[in-house]
Amino acid sequence: MSSNQEKDSEKSRSFIEILGDTVSEKQLIVSVVLSVAVSIGGYKLGQWVFPKFADAQMVNSYSLLLGIAGTVGILFLNSYLFRPKRVLVEDEVSAENMEDVFADLQLDAEEEIRLIHEDPVTKKELEELGVLENFKRKEGTR
């Protein structure tokens, strides 16, 4: 498969956003079905196995624990099978980049600068990240 075909197939894949993360619909459905099947399967297995050697009043509790253990196990399997596909690109932050970001997020730059001056914790964090200088330059251009 050529690289253009790969890019086209990648674009044609359907993605949705859940809890702030973008995921493939197909992989989401597969992971949900696997999780539900293993959870219920673990519970039903416990209902069948535990009566043979556990107290009758503890069978439901043990079965529930087996179902939960299966859920945790399938969580690790799903995270291995469906690794993140995002690519993080770190650009150097500059005053020009910040203007674009403020415009994209529909933020008021002057309000953000005022809030930074009022909050010493935020100010210190921005200094440590090396971003505060860009805010100061932006403030100086007002």
Side-chain angles (χ1 to χ4, degrees), residues 23-136:
V23 295
S24 165
E25 286 180 351
K26 185 190 291 186
Q27 291 179 352
L28 175 67
I29 291 169
V30 169
S31 66
V32 168
V33 168
L34 281 173
S35 298
V36 169
V38 169
S39 299
I40 292 174
Y43 179 78
K44 293 295 184 183
L45 179 67
Q47 293 288 310
W48 180 69
V49 170
F50 289 127
K52 296 177 181 171
F53 58 86
D55 294 336
Q57 53 184 237
M58 295 303 293
V59 169
N60 285 337
S61 298
Y62 291 154
S63 298
L64 182 61
L65 284 174
L66 185 61
I68 292 170
T71 303
V72 171
I74 204 70
L75 168 78
F76 287 109
L77 180 65
N78 283 335
S79 65
Y80 177 75
L81 291 176
F82 308 121
R83 295 194 182 271
K85 289 157 187 63
R86 69 181 84 96
V87 177
L88 299 178
V89 178
E90 291 188 33
D91 289 334
E92 184 177 326
V93 179
S94 67
E96 295 80 29
N97 297 44
M98 288 178 50
E99 288 179 18
D100 294 339
V101 170
F102 283 136
D104 288 344
L105 296 175
Q106 299 176 348
L107 296 174
D108 180 20
E110 292 178 11
E111 177 69 13
E112 295 299 318
I113 291 169
R114 185 186 63 76
L115 292 172
I116 290 168
H117 286 301
E118 291 176 1
D119 186 6
V121 174
T122 302
K123 191 173 186 177
K124 183 176 186 218
E125 288 177 356
L126 291 175
E127 280 177 355
E128 290 173 359
L129 292 171
V131 178
L132 188 60
E133 285 300 317
N134 292 322
F135 277 100
K136 288 179 181 176

